[in-house]
Amino acid sequence: MKKLVSIVGIILLICSGTVFASGSSEKDDQITLVWYQWFDAETHETELKPIIEEFEKTHPNVHIELAAISSETYWDRLALDIASNAEGDIITLDTGAGLEGYYSQRKGGVFIPLDDYIKGYVLDDGTRLEEDIYMIDSVKKNGKIVALPYIMFSAPMTAYRKSTLEKYGVDPSELATWDTYFEAAKKLTVDENGDGAVDVYGWGHPTYVETLSRWWHMHWLWTAGGGIFPNEEGPYTADRLIFNCEENVRAVEFLKKMFDSCAPDGLRTVTDIHAMFANGSIATCQMAVWTLANFQAMMGDGYETDLGMIPFPSDGDNEPVLVSWGNPLAISSNCEHPDEAFEFIAFLHSKYAQKLAMRRAAPTNKLVYDDYAVDNPKQAEFIQTCQNFEMRIVPDIVQWNEFDHIVQQSISDALLGTKSVKDALDWGQQEMAKALQ
């Protein structure tokens, strides 16, 4: 079945006039490097295309081919293509989804070590890869650096509409704990025109089974004292799973209470929730740093005047647990031109490229942070605020892709009522145990 899917994909690409094969070339002296990544159309136009064009000016024999894949299908597609030896030359990863599940699919590792490339490497603008790039330690396997951090994110914060809170007499400080947040969200859930239908919801939360929803769920579990494994630390064995623990049950029961009382019902993606916040039909929701660029585009003048931020709420006993993760770039072990591939991913860490990426994420080049704070004050405030809290990451295990789907499905079932909270988490724990076997 994997072979069939891969063959069909190749046929389609040939028919479209482009073959996405590792190390393919259009001419004898022209190198084409395929870059696997997931990004929206605006990012392609405002960030990626300009970076590629600038790189190709100084590397005229190298062409970077963007293999745009939707975020919903990216990880399944990547796993399938690695198994079929059909992945791109340059691969965008996510430390928030772990590296092991992809790296370990090929004997010796899917991604090549970069230590020798990085050692002593200085970009034309003076950036030193060894000293000036954050998060290098997050991309090591077996003691070797297997990717270069490109951009990084933090989450979550609570976004709120200042005008809506003021209109209904809610102080932002009421969003600081779970209990007070619930009471505030109820006050913010209103039928404004008296027609019997809610016009503004006090809170929004995704229910659709998608990769992004993982983060919107995990912070509630962690803050309650739960998670998947204790503190998400190994050993990662079935006997140490805590997905159906009392702390997680309490967290998801709270989410269910909020969902039933204060949120729009039905299947909603993260994007749906943020769009409703931007148009004023949701008063509060959680967000990541990348969300701010979306809000800026969707809210117009309201982005500066009406968007408020406050840290993720405490459960009353525990401080909130946040996350910081990156989108590093790796080079496939099947890449026929690793030197040129490294030149490109190194260029993505230049001041020029990093400043373009600042619109949606935090840069990993520490030399551009002064510009970041000036050009993107809300993003800089977001990142700085997050540093005051514990940061946690999901377990980096071979089975993470399966675990990710299980987390999404079980909590969606609980919120939508297709299973009770306890039954949904029991199911999740059982499925995780099976995956580990």
Side-chain angles (χ1 to χ4, degrees), residues 340-373:
E340 289 81 2
F342 182 79
E343 288 291 317
F344 178 66
I345 66 173
F347 180 73
L348 284 164
H349 295 74
S350 67
K351 295 175 186 176
Y352 169 80
Q354 291 277 295
K355 287 179 181 179
L356 286 180
M358 291 190 315
R359 178 188 67 86
R360 62 189 173 91
T364 54
N365 185 332
K366 64 180 70 173
L367 303 181
V368 302
Y369 263 77
D370 287 344
D371 292 327
Y372 182 59

Side-chain angles (χ1 to χ4, degrees), residues 350-415:
S350 67
K351 295 175 186 176
Y352 169 80
Q354 291 277 295
K355 287 179 181 179
L356 286 180
M358 291 190 315
R359 178 188 67 86
R360 62 189 173 91
T364 54
N365 185 332
K366 64 180 70 173
L367 303 181
V368 302
Y369 263 77
D370 287 344
D371 292 327
Y372 182 59
V374 172
D375 295 342
N376 301 279
K378 285 187 184 292
Q379 282 90 336
E381 177 190 350
F382 193 119
I383 295 290
Q384 185 175 16
T385 301
C386 288
Q387 304 313 306
N388 298 320
F389 299 96
E390 179 189 347
M391 296 284 188
R392 195 174 298 178
I393 204 76
V394 295
D396 188 4
I397 55 177
V398 171
Q399 301 88 352
W400 175 250
N401 207 23
E402 294 171 83
F403 273 46
D404 202 354
H405 286 290
I406 293 166
V407 170
Q408 298 162 33
Q409 187 65 61
S410 60
I411 296 182
S412 176
D413 286 344
L415 294 179

Side-chain angles (χ1 to χ4, degrees), residues 229-236 240 395:
F229 297 95
N231 297 314
E232 307 307 355
E233 297 172 350
Y236 300 117
R240 298 189 72 250

Side-chain angles (χ1 to χ4, degrees), residues 105 163 170 186 235 342 346 375 398 421-422:
Q105 285 191 62
S163 59
V170 173
K186 285 195 297 183
F342 182 79
D375 295 342
V398 171
V421 170
K422 186 65 168 62

Side-chain angles (χ1 to χ4, degrees), residues 10 43 52 63 86 112 135-136 139 153 165 184 203 205 217 225 241 247 260 268 271 314 324 336 362 364:
I10 291 170
T43 301
I52 289 171
H63 173 61
I112 67 171
M135 298 187 75
I136 288 287
V139 287
F153 305 88
L165 267 64
W203 180 69
H205 190 81
H217 304 326
L241 284 167
E247 291 82 0
D260 288 344
R268 308 278 177 173
T271 301
S314 159
S324 186
E336 295 179 4
T364 54

Side-chain angles (χ1 to χ4, degrees), residues 262-275:
C262 315
D265 60 9
L267 287 173
R268 308 278 177 173
T269 66
V270 171
T271 301
D272 293 336
I273 296 301
H274 289 163

